[in-house]
Every structure is written in C-alpha cells, then in structure tokens.
C-alpha cells in the first residue's frame, strides 16, 4: 500500500522497522514486515487522530521490541527492555505528531516563557532540581546592560513555561553586550538567545531525567514541549537537522541524539558542565 494512504506514524514505524530488521533473513524480514504493516494499517487508519495512533502503536510494541522476539538485539547491541521501549514509543509519537517532522537544529532557540514578571524571571513551582536554575554553573552573570533587558523581554514572550523545578538564571553571562563572554562561550549571542537556549536546555534535561527515572508523566510533558520547539522558527534549519537527529529518534526510544545535544544547548545558554543522564 502506498504510504500516502497510511497514517504518518505508521509510515514512521515501518521506516524504523526497515532500518532495524536488516539482521533478519530476507524472506522472514519481508514476511514480518507485511504482517506488521497489515496490522497497523488496519488498527490505525489514516483518519485516526495522532493520539489514537499513538496509543494503538504503543499497545502493539516498538520495532525493537518486535525484533527482540526474533532474536535481534537493539542497535546498541543490548537486548531490548520492552517496557522502556514501549514508553519511549508513546512519548516519541507525541513528539513526531506535534512537530510534524518540522525543521530544527542542535542550536535552535525557542521563544522564552511567557509568564515572567516585569523585572525578574518568574520562578516556577517547586519540583525536581534542574540544571537551569538561578545560579547555574558557568561564567559570571550580570543584571544590567542591553543584553540583560533583552533577556527579560524574551522570557516574557516565551509561549511555554519552564518545567517545574527549573528557573531562569539570574542575569546573563558577563560580556554579552560586547559580543563575547569572559571565556568566549557566547561569541555572537544576545539576551534573547540566552533565554531561548535556557528554555530548551531545561526541557531537554527534563525529558532525559524523566526517562532515566521512569517517570512517564513527566516524560510525556517534556516530549510535548520539545515537539513545539521547531515551530518557533528562531533558527533556520533547511536540512531539518535537529528534528532528524534529536526529535525523530525519540519515537523509538533512542535518546542518543538528545543526550549529545543537551550539553551543547546548555552551553549556548551559558550553562556549563552539563552531562546527560
């Protein structure tokens, strides 16, 4: 059947199956793919909502889980944990559906959270500690100058808040008005860029921490926020690098791209020494 006549999440699922099923013999691979495709096309018709498709596919199981039953190990060489992979599929499906596989890059800043105060960033309700906090590890920060006021203004206009437990840092890296921080981290940034990368840093860390802790509710919420990121359009990405390397793999439980992106994203916000869980 033509992929145009199937739900986009089914197409994405089959694409991942094709990439992961190479170790199978050709006859078994074709046979299994046909069985899977027929089942998913029947249970997830093209007119299904993304939420309905997400639940149906999650109930069926990820490609890695199905292939694990065939004796095929995960891409990293480890056997698949079905519960982890199923949870990751649910969350990644939310990400792909909401993002529409839109473009994004490893350095794609969003618009800061629209719930700050007139003078200082608003701090969210108490929650798990975040790497994005009032005094993060990194260069000295200042609370004056053009970049600082751009930073505050950008926070005010962010369409979505930070995760619980995160807080915008107090001030911007020193030297930002001159085009370079004291240690050269943000060579051409502005206050708005710091705010936007702070937002992305917080939500990327939230997703990874929730996944590592098995907190599906937090992971779903973080996935939904990451899905919105490409739509903000703050950085042009004609090749869709961020969506391809970071966003799409989440739908199949692959957080490798996100783990690599996190330290770089946080560094663009002047938050250093961040390691992915």
């Amino acid at each position: 059947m033509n992929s145009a006549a199937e739900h986009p999440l089914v197409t994405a699922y089959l694409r991942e199956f094709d990439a992961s099923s190479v170790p199978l013999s050709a006859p078994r691979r074709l046979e299994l793919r046909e069985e899977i495709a027929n089942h998913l096309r029947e249970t997830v018709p093209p007119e299904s909502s993304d939420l309905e498709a997400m639940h149906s596919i999650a109930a069926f199981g990820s490609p890695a889980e199905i292939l694990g039953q065939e004796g095929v190990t995960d891409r990293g060489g480890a056997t698949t944990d079905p519960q982890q992979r199923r949870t990751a599929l649910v969350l990644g499906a939310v990400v792909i559906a909401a993002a529409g596989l839109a473009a994004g890059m490893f350095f794609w800043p969003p618009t800061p959270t629209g719930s700050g105060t007139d003078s200082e960033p608003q701090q969210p309700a108490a929650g798990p500690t975040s790497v994005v906090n009032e005094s993060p590890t990194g260069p000295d920060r200042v609370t004056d100058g053009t970049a600082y006021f751009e930073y505050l203004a950008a926070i005010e206009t962010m369409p979505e808040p930070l995760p619980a437990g995160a807080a915008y840092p107090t001030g911007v890296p020193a030297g930002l008005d001159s085009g370079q921080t004291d240690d050269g981290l943000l060579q051409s940034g502005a206050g708005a860029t710091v705010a936007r990368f702070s937002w992305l840093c917080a939500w990327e860390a939230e997703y990874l921490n929730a996944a590592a802790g098995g907190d599906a509710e937090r992971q779903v919420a973080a996935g939904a926020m990451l899905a919105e990121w490409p739509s903000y359009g703050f950085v042009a990405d004609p090749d869709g690098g961020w969506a391809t390397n970071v966003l799409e793999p989440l739908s199949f439980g692959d957080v490798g791209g996100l783990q690599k992106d996190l330290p770089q994203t946080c560094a663009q916000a002047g938050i250093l020494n961040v390691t992915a869980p």
Side-chain angles (χ1 to χ4, degrees), residues 9 87-97 207 247-253:
L9 292 183
T87 299
L89 177 63
V90 173
L91 305 170
V94 172
V95 171
I96 287 183
Y207 187 100
L247 200 59
E248 289 186 48
L250 297 180
S251 64
F252 308 110

Side-chain angles (χ1 to χ4, degrees), residues 90-135:
V90 173
L91 305 170
V94 172
V95 171
I96 287 183
L101 303 183
M105 290 187 73
F106 284 101
F107 303 115
W108 190 339
T111 324
T113 309
S115 55
T117 64
D118 290 340
S119 58
E120 293 294 336
Q122 179 180 0
Q123 308 308 331
T129 301
S130 172
V131 296
V132 180
N133 53 64
E134 293 180 332
S135 302

Side-chain angles (χ1 to χ4, degrees), residues 38-276:
N38 289 338
H39 174 80
L40 291 179
R41 287 165 181 160
E42 179 179 351
T43 58
V44 187
E47 63 273 15
S48 299
S49 69
D50 292 328
L51 185 60
E52 291 170 337
M54 175 190 74
H55 284 303
S56 297
I57 294 174
F60 180 68
S62 71
E65 185 177 348
I66 301 300
L67 290 168
Q69 298 173 5
E70 299 284 325
V72 177
T73 58
D74 217 350
R75 286 180 179 178
T79 56
T80 302
D81 180 333
Q83 183 59 40
Q84 286 183 344
R85 299 295 277 182
R86 178 166 294 166
T87 299
L89 177 63
V90 173
L91 305 170
V94 172
V95 171
I96 287 183
L101 303 183
M105 290 187 73
F106 284 101
F107 303 115
W108 190 339
T111 324
T113 309
S115 55
T117 64
D118 290 340
S119 58
E120 293 294 336
Q122 179 180 0
Q123 308 308 331
T129 301
S130 172
V131 296
V132 180
N133 53 64
E134 293 180 332
S135 302
T137 301
D140 293 337
R141 291 179 177 258
V142 298
T143 55
D144 57 16
T146 300
Y148 175 62
F149 290 103
E150 289 176 349
Y151 174 71
L152 294 179
I155 291 172
E156 290 286 344
T157 59
M158 278 301 283
E160 298 293 346
L162 294 175
Y168 283 105
T170 302
V172 296
L176 200 57
D177 282 333
S178 65
Q180 182 173 339
T181 58
D182 291 339
D183 48 8
L185 287 170
L186 298 168
Q187 297 181 357
S188 60
T193 298
V194 173
R196 293 161 186 167
F197 279 117
S198 296
W199 186 95
L200 182 58
C201 172
W203 280 112
E204 287 190 347
E206 173 73 0
Y207 187 100
L208 290 171
N209 285 329
D215 191 331
E217 184 175 355
R218 282 174 56 210
Q219 196 176 352
V220 167
M225 291 297 101
L226 293 178
E228 292 298 320
W229 181 267
S231 68
Y232 298 152
F234 284 94
V235 173
D237 180 21
D239 296 327
W242 192 82
T244 299
N245 295 297
V246 177
L247 200 59
E248 289 186 48
L250 297 180
S251 64
F252 308 110
D254 183 357
V255 297
L258 188 59
Q259 289 173 326
K260 292 177 181 178
D261 193 47
L262 178 65
Q264 301 175 67
T265 292
C266 296
Q268 292 298 305
I271 300 172
L272 308 182
N273 301 325
V274 174
T275 56

